[in-house]
Structure formats: C-alpha cells, structure tokens
C-alpha cells in the first residue's frame, strides 16, 4: 500500500457539512488569498480585512476558530480578541512577529489567546495547530452543553426536592393532625419528643359515659351501614360538644361514648364542664327524637352518667397508641350511666358536691350499683340562676 504523506493528508477534501468554520483576519489582501487557498479544502474559510469586519461576520456565523493578524490599522489583533464576548466558545489564535511578543504574552495570560503563530507560518504546522484548536473547540462546546444539561438537571432535581419536601411537610402535618385526633396535644408532643408518654395520676377528674337505651332493638331494624351512619352522625355532634366544653374524648365502645374533664391538663372546672356538655348532648338528642317521632321512627333515648374522682391517664403499649383512663372513678362513672334513665343525667354524690352551687339536682337516694353496693345518686335538673 502506498504511504500517505502529511502533504497528501492535508490536501484530502472534506464534505461541506463536515468542515468547521475558520475566520481569518488580515489587513493585507494577499495574505487572505494565500490562507484561503491553502485551507479551503479542509475548512470553511471566512476572511475579513479588519477587526470591525470580523466582528460583523461573527454576528451571523458559528465559527470554531478565529485567527487574526496582530498588526492592523485601527484595531490590533489583541484588541479584536478582547472585544469578543467571553461566553463565545471559539478558539482564538493570533499571527505575530517577535517584536509584538510582549502584548501577545499578556493576551495569553488573560485567557484571550489560545495560541500564537509566528510569521511566516508553515502550512503543515499551521494545519496541525488548527486541527488541535478545532478539537479543543469541540471539547469546549461539549463541556458547555454538558454543564448546561447538568444545570438543567440540577434545577429539575432542586424543584423535585422542593416539591418532595413540601409533600413530606404536608404528609407530616396530616400525620400530626391524625395523631391529634387520637391523642391529646400534650401527650402527642411528649410522645414525639421522648418516644413514649408516661401515664399520669390525677387527684380529681370527671368521667362522663353515655349509652343508648334499647340499642339492640334499634339495631335489629337497621342495616349495618345505616346503623353505623346513624351512630356516627350522633357521635360527631358529641365530639363537637365535648371539645366546646374543654373535655377530652376517650373512646367509643359500641354505642357507648366516653369522655373526661380535667385531663390531660388539670383544671378546677372539670365537673361543671362535664355537666354542661351532658345537658347540651341531651338537648340535642331531644331534638333528634322529636323529628324521629314526627316521622314514625323509634327514639334514640340516651342515658348519661357522671362521676368525679382520682384516676390515671396516659398511653401504654408500643403500637396503635390510644389515650385511655384507668381507676375506680371510671368504673363508678359507668355505674352512674347504667343506673340512670333515658333523657336524664345521673351523677354521683362526689360530683354533686363539686357542682351543687351551679346546678339544681334531684336527690334519688341510695341506689344499688353493680359491685358497688348502694350509692347516693342525683339527677341534674337545671342550671342554677346566678346573680351577676
């Protein structure tokens, strides 16, 4: 096979679309002609007679390499290169004699010049230098695109992080709301900070129980779905009333509803608060039953029992946290409910002593309570009118 000389390799033509664009600037027409003739087979050669003309060409051309003579009237080669935009990717080279080396070195040090070429230039050496410059241009352009893509990817990632952070924050808020629906705020905060909530003893709190009379008979006449919807409707109103009167809902057990006052934050009004809530609940149920009777439906008669005394409240276990209360006070409150009557509020003697200045109550005498013997009980009749 015949050896391919460097001269032949230089003269090998390329298709137009593969030719990189090179701008050559020189104020001498002959130099422009020689340069274009030497390299037009390999590059798309653009020429200009001055720096000003070169700047105009660059406005409409994507040029890979620009080569300029140093000594030109009005604008030197270094001045021309300094006028080029910094963001332009093109490779900048300059033709110079030894007498201009000081200004050329300064331009190189400031990053304005990629290479300098001494006069007279050698065609083969200049071709190699320009090919290296074009390769550097492509690397520079590729790096620029990669940086832009990386920047765009970072912006997208940052936006996703912002969106995910917002989503996590919203989820956290929703979780906290759900927790607060299950646990008192003070208990939830302690659980979040310590990972556990210590049960707490209360010297005096008030427990309220409600229960529907004849619930089994009512349930037999309703579908399971209708029964749950009906109970849910009533209990949601109870929730609102209980919250209004500063009581803490504990739980529902079937058709029974349980709440307490004076927990988790102690106060001196818990017994009064509980009876005010009980009166409002019974008033609501009376309104419900009037409407049900008008349409021929059976009544939902409600018993309410209240007792005050010491108890323990808190969260136990490590799964499915639930705020609950324990102690004999809870048991007696349950007996107050079961020993009561429909539409009435039955309270113990202990609770009566706490609220007798606030409510008119009817003494029932000693009433037998399961496992408690005979217990003094009272029906709450009305609030006592107080002089302002």
């Amino acid at each position: 096979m015949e050896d391919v000389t460097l001269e032949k390799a230089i003269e090998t033509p390329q298709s137009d679309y593969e030719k990189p664009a090179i701008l050559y600037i020189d104020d001498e027409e002959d130099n422009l002609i020689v340069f274009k003739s030497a390299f037009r087979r390999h590059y798309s050669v653009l020429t200009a007679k001055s720096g000003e003309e070169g700047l105009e060409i660059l406005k409409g051309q994507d040029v890979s390499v620009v080569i300029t003579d140093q000594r030109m009237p009005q604008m030197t080669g270094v001045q021309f290169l300094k006028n080029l935009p910094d963001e332009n990717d093109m490779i900048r080279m300059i033709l110079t004699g030894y007498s201009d080396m000081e200004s050329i070195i300064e331009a190189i040090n400031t990053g304005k010049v990629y290479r300098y070429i001494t006069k007279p230039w050698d065609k083969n050496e200049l071709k190699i230098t320009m090919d290296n410059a074009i390769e550097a241009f492509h690397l520079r352009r590729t790096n620029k695109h990669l940086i832009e893509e990386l920047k765009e990817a970072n912006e997208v990632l940052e936006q996703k992080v912002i969106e995910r952070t917002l989503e996590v924050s919203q989820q956290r808020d929703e979780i906290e709301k759900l927790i607060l629906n299950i646990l008192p705020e003070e208990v939830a905060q302690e659980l979040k900070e310590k990972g556990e909530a210590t049960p707490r003893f209360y010297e005096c709190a008030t427990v309220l129980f409600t229960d529907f009379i004849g619930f089994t008979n009512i349930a037999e006449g309703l579908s399971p779905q209708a029964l749950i919807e009906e109970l849910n409707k009533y209990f949601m109103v109870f929730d609102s009333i209980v919250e209004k009167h500063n009581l803490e809902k504990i739980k529902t057990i079937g058709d029974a509803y349980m709440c307490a006052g004076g927990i988790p934050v102690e106060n001196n009004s818990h017994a009064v608060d509980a009876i005010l809530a009980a009166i409002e609940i019974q008033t609501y149920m009376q309104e419900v039953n009037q409407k049900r009777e008008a349409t021929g439906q059976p009544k939902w008669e409600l018993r309410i029992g209240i007792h005050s005394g010491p108890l323990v409240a808190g969260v136990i276990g490590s799964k499915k946290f639930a705020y609950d209360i324990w102690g004999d006070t809870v048991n007696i409150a349950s007996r107050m409910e079961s020993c009561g009557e429909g539409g009435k509020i039955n309270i113990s003697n202990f609770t009566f002593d706490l609220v007798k200045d606030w409510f008119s109550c009817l003494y029932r005498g000693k009433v037998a309570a399961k496992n408690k013997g005979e217990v003094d009980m009272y029906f709450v009749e009305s609030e006592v009118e107080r002089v302002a």
Side-chain angles (χ1 to χ4, degrees), residues 91-209:
I91 302 299
R92 306 162 191 198
M93 299 195 296
I94 196 164
L95 287 169
T96 182
Y98 287 105
S99 60
D100 300 314
M101 286 305 297
E102 186 175 340
S103 59
I104 300 302
I105 291 172
E106 179 186 354
I108 291 174
N109 289 337
T110 58
K112 300 297 182 182
V113 175
Y114 171 75
R115 293 283 189 276
Y116 70 90
I117 304 162
T118 57
K119 295 179 180 179
W121 48 266
D122 178 81
K123 179 179 179 181
N124 294 338
E125 291 180 358
L126 183 55
K127 172 69 167 57
I128 293 172
T129 300
M130 288 193 294
D131 284 345
N132 289 337
I134 290 167
E135 183 178 355
F137 166 80
H138 288 310
L139 287 173
R140 185 179 292 180
R141 180 66 61 85
T142 299
N143 287 342
K144 183 178 180 180
H145 288 162
L146 288 174
I147 290 171
E148 289 175 352
E149 290 175 2
L150 181 60
K151 183 179 178 181
E152 291 177 1
N154 283 338
E155 289 175 353
V156 171
L157 181 59
E158 286 176 3
Q159 184 60 35
K160 287 184 177 180
V161 169
I162 291 172
E163 291 173 358
R164 181 56 183 158
T165 301
L166 179 60
E167 183 181 340
V168 169
S169 177
Q170 291 173 340
Q171 289 176 347
R172 184 179 62 247
D173 291 343
E174 290 175 3
I175 290 171
E176 288 185 357
K177 288 179 181 177
L178 288 173
I179 291 175
L180 291 177
N181 281 337
I182 300 170
L183 304 175
E185 184 176 354
E186 296 78 3
V187 176
Q189 187 64 30
E190 183 183 359
L191 194 62
K192 186 167 66 174
E193 292 175 357
K194 301 180 180 179
E196 60 180 6
T198 306
R200 179 179 170 186
F201 173 77
Y202 294 84
E203 190 172 332
C204 188
T206 298
V207 180
L208 181 155
F209 272 94

Side-chain angles (χ1 to χ4, degrees), residues 184-236:
E185 184 176 354
E186 296 78 3
V187 176
Q189 187 64 30
E190 183 183 359
L191 194 62
K192 186 167 66 174
E193 292 175 357
K194 301 180 180 179
E196 60 180 6
T198 306
R200 179 179 170 186
F201 173 77
Y202 294 84
E203 190 172 332
C204 188
T206 298
V207 180
L208 181 155
F209 272 94
T210 78
D211 188 59
F212 289 103
I213 300 173
F215 177 76
T216 303
N217 293 332
I218 297 173
E220 289 176 353
L222 295 172
S223 67
Q225 183 177 352
L227 179 64
I228 295 301
E229 288 177 355
E230 197 79 6
L231 273 178
N232 185 57
K233 180 175 66 175
Y234 301 148
F235 285 164
M236 286 179 66

